[in-house]
Amino acid sequence: MSSPILTVKTDQERQDLVIIPPVSGLALSGKIQIPGDKSISHRSLMLGAIAEGETTIEGLLLGEDPQSTAACFRQMGADISELSEQTVRVRGLGIGNLQEPKDVLNAGNSGTTLRLMLGLLASQPGRFFSVTGDKSLRSRPMSRVVTPLEQMGAKIWGRQGGQLAPLAICGGHLKPTHYHSPVASAQVKSCILLAGLSIDGKTTVTEPALSRDHSERMLRAFGADIQVDPSCHQVTVTGPVTLKGQTVVVPGDISSAAFWLVAAAIIPGSDLRVENVGVNPTRTGILEALQRMEADLTLENQREVAGEPVADIRVRSSQLKACEIGGALIPRLIDEVPILAVAATMAQGTTVIRDAEELRVKESDRLLAMARELGKLGAKVSERPDGLEITGGVPLQGAELDSYDDHRVAMSLAIAALLAQGPSHLYNAQAASISYPDFISTLKTALNQ
Ligand code: S3P
């Protein structure tokens, strides 16, 4: 039996530390449940807050990001019950009825909260809002949503000409637009669609490749007129819209499942079933990439739950092969690149990830973070301007690792450390609670520690 995973509080700079021993002989087996989908959790709280009547949400993610969304909308008058995985009730205000908050709205670490909310705030006539976030969010580009909103007539001010939060917004009557987004981003697309809900006429977004479509699905379920042209990645909302409260059942987050899918694929002898995973085709790029790498994955019990496809995924360990990924696959696995990089360290050959420059403006610069930290473990990784190149099969050694305060980097490194010879010290592992509060305890259970 290997030594246990230890969580240690250090007083230096209030960092937390998790000591991860090598997995040595243990394998992942049995079943695992994952937390609710982060993207769907945010949207259910937001649409619930602007719908008429009551929305009930089952399976909500209890991570810090949805807590930020709930706090912001409570400040604007939405009646949101205490967050729980069982049932959360939201009594909505109706579109256009968000109240002027008495204080700054703080989106914490959550880009989805801030960017989607901006679309709603900009279209609340006669009200003033100020919004901010944590250090990471204050450094992330906001011009990608501020520019289209300004084209629609929004009044927004912020640092560096409105590129960075904190931002100030004077809500107004916006005009329809057809925006051609330079990036395939569901946050940009959703921001514009939410702004379009109260506009008289058609608001259209065209994106260079298809990004996740949870907003389109949920808006339609709440009663919005949404037209999609898949041939050119184009979505139109025709407003003004009245949304009606609904029951939302949040599936498990494939981005959280990805850590276990990769762990079981690379830890010899593993045979794991990850249950209740959302398998919306705009999110399953990670499954395609792993299949290209010859991972042994099977989708079982495929079903549809409240408008989203769901399945259980069985994964058995196998010898992975390197692959090349890029292009339209990237937006469909954008949050899984860090853990895919870990898979690549165990694959035969050189994996090349390209067209992924968006990773530089996530919660951290994930290309830089993964290249540096996997490098510390001894992996053969080089950073490209738009991706990573990783030659697998080089034995990893335990190291002092840092999460860059990024939840997905923290969890990816924890999985990589299991495969190293000798223990690793992972600082700021607590960042995982942004999207997966029980990650470390689930890891201990999964390894029967
Ligand atoms: C999200 C969209 C993606 C993703 C983020 C969640 C969403 O961001 O990385 O974690 O819920 O819309 P981009 O739209 O910036 O690619």
Side-chain angles (χ1 to χ4, degrees), residues 128-182:
F128 174 80
F129 306 88
S130 48
V131 294
T132 192
D134 70 4
K135 190 172 161 226
S136 150
L137 190 54
R138 281 183 275 115
S139 71
R140 296 179 65 187
M142 291 301 139
S143 37
R144 56 182 57 200
V145 286
V146 170
T147 301
L149 289 172
E150 283 178 341
Q151 273 178 28
M152 297 162 84
K155 303 261 183 300
I156 303 174
W157 299 265
R159 290 188 299 133
Q160 295 186 22
Q163 289 181 61
L164 297 175
L167 298 169
I169 303 105
C170 229
H173 293 282
L174 304 185
K175 48 182 194 290
T177 194
H178 183 163
Y179 186 67
H180 292 265
S181 176

Side-chain angles (χ1 to χ4, degrees), residues 38-39 43 112 115 144 184-187 212 334-335 358 362 408:
K38 183 158 80 66
S39 294
R43 286 159 174 79
T112 307
R115 294 197 179 115
R144 56 182 57 200
S185 159
Q187 294 181 354
R212 64 191 66 191
I334 190 74
D335 292 337
E358 269 294 296
K362 294 293 179 190
R408 301 205 196 279

Side-chain angles (χ1 to χ4, degrees), residues 383-426:
E383 204 183 328
R384 301 163 50 109
D386 67 338
L388 295 170
E389 228 173 271
I390 302 154
T391 303
V394 181
L396 304 185
Q397 311 293 335
E400 298 256 314
L401 302 170
D402 186 64
S403 76
Y404 288 61
D405 273 328
D406 181 325
H407 53 129
R408 301 205 196 279
V409 172
M411 293 185 273
S412 301
L413 294 176
I415 301 298
L418 292 174
L419 274 299
Q421 290 160 10
S424 293
H425 289 188
L426 173 57

Side-chain angles (χ1 to χ4, degrees), residues 128-250:
F128 174 80
F129 306 88
S130 48
V131 294
T132 192
D134 70 4
K135 190 172 161 226
S136 150
L137 190 54
R138 281 183 275 115
S139 71
R140 296 179 65 187
M142 291 301 139
S143 37
R144 56 182 57 200
V145 286
V146 170
T147 301
L149 289 172
E150 283 178 341
Q151 273 178 28
M152 297 162 84
K155 303 261 183 300
I156 303 174
W157 299 265
R159 290 188 299 133
Q160 295 186 22
Q163 289 181 61
L164 297 175
L167 298 169
I169 303 105
C170 229
H173 293 282
L174 304 185
K175 48 182 194 290
T177 194
H178 183 163
Y179 186 67
H180 292 265
S181 176
V183 278
S185 159
Q187 294 181 354
V188 172
K189 175 174 64 178
S190 305
C191 166
I192 298 166
L193 293 176
L194 290 177
L197 294 174
S198 46
I199 297 174
D200 194 0
K202 290 185 189 303
T203 299
T204 301
V205 189
T206 303
E207 45 182 357
L210 185 60
S211 65
R212 64 191 66 191
D213 69 354
H214 304 301
S215 295
E216 294 90 305
R217 287 173 187 252
M218 202 184 291
L219 279 168
R220 206 178 269 140
F222 274 68
D225 176 357
I226 300 283
Q227 300 300 327
V228 178
D229 183 345
S231 66
C232 55
H233 322 302
Q234 188 167 298
V235 192
T236 300
V237 60
T238 306
V241 168
T242 305
L243 301 181
K244 292 266 178 263
Q246 299 294 317
T247 296
V248 180
V249 183
V250 182

